[in-house]
Amino acid sequence: MTRISVKVDGVTYDDEVEPRTLLVHYLREQLGKTGTLVGCDTSNCGACTVHLDGRSVKSCNVLAVQADGHEVTTIEGLSNPAGGALSPVQEAFGQCHALQCGFCTPGMIMQATDLLRENPDPTEDEVRVGMEGNLCRCTGYHNIVRAVLQAAGTSSVGEQA
C-alpha cells in the first residue's frame, strides 16, 4: 500500500492505495465520486475524463499514486457547490439536448471545459477536433458540438474547473 494525498473537488484526502489502482477506481470506489464513469477501461472512450491540475486526463489511464500531491476535479466538482449552480458547459449541454443517454456526458463536459479554457472562442471544426478522444455511443455529436459552441459564448467558462 502507498499513502497518497490528493485534493479532489476542493477537499484533501489522505488515503492508502494499492500502487496499481487506477485514478478512476480510486475516485469511484474510495471517494464515492461516481459521476466519473468507467467506459472502456482502455482510455479509448473518454467517459472517465477528469481534470488533473486543471487539464483533462482520462482517469483510467492514470494511476492514483500519480495524482499524489495534485488536484483533481470531477464532474461533481465542476458545478458551484455553494449554490448548486451548474457550470456554463453543464448548462449548455442541457439546453442543447446534448445529453442523450448520458453515459458519455460527464467526460464530454470535462473535456469541453478544458477545451474552452484553452480556446475560449473555437470554431466548429476546432470543437470537433478538441473532443476527438471522447466517444458518444448515441452518436449525438451534433448537439454536443452545438452545446460547446453555446458555452463558448458564456463568460467564465474556463474559470469553472
Side-chain angles (χ1 to χ4, degrees):
M1 298 292 267
T2 301
R3 185 147 200 83
I4 63 171
S5 179
V6 183
K7 190 172 187 177
V8 179
D9 297 338
V11 177
T12 301
Y13 296 90
D14 294 306
D15 284 308
E16 298 275 334
V17 297
E18 288 284 337
R20 63 178 178 223
T21 301
L22 295 173
L23 181 58
V24 66
H25 295 301
Y26 172 71
L27 294 171
R28 290 180 56 83
E29 295 162 16
Q30 283 194 241
L31 303 185
K33 300 289 185 180
T34 55
T36 303
L37 301 177
V38 178
C40 65
D41 228 2
T42 59
S43 77
N44 287 315
C45 75
C48 65
T49 302
V50 297
H51 293 168
L52 181 62
D53 292 334
R55 300 304 317 258
S56 66
V57 297
K58 293 177 180 174
S59 61
C60 75
N61 204 24
V62 176
L63 297 170
V65 295
Q66 291 175 299
D68 182 34
H70 296 276
E71 186 169 345
V72 175
T73 304
T74 69
I75 191 70
E76 289 99 331
L78 204 56
S79 60
N80 178 348
L86 297 176
S87 76
V89 176
Q90 290 171 312
E91 285 283 347
F93 267 64
Q95 292 169 356
C96 294
H97 306 287
L99 303 171
Q100 305 247 357
C101 81
F103 191 84
C104 71
T105 303
M108 290 284 186
I109 289 173
M110 297 306 288
Q111 181 62 31
T113 300
D114 189 35
L115 168 72
L116 293 176
R117 180 185 3 254
E118 191 160 300
N119 181 1
D121 189 26
T123 64
E124 180 176 336
D125 285 343
E126 289 169 333
V127 170
R128 290 184 183 280
V129 170
M131 301 296 291
E132 272 185 350
N134 291 68
L135 303 178
C136 173
R137 297 173 185 181
C138 305
T139 67
Y141 296 106
H142 177 74
N143 287 347
I144 290 169
V145 169
R146 201 164 59 100
V148 176
L149 290 171
Q150 178 176 310
T154 306
S155 63
S156 77
V157 168
E159 299 170 8
Q160 292 297 314

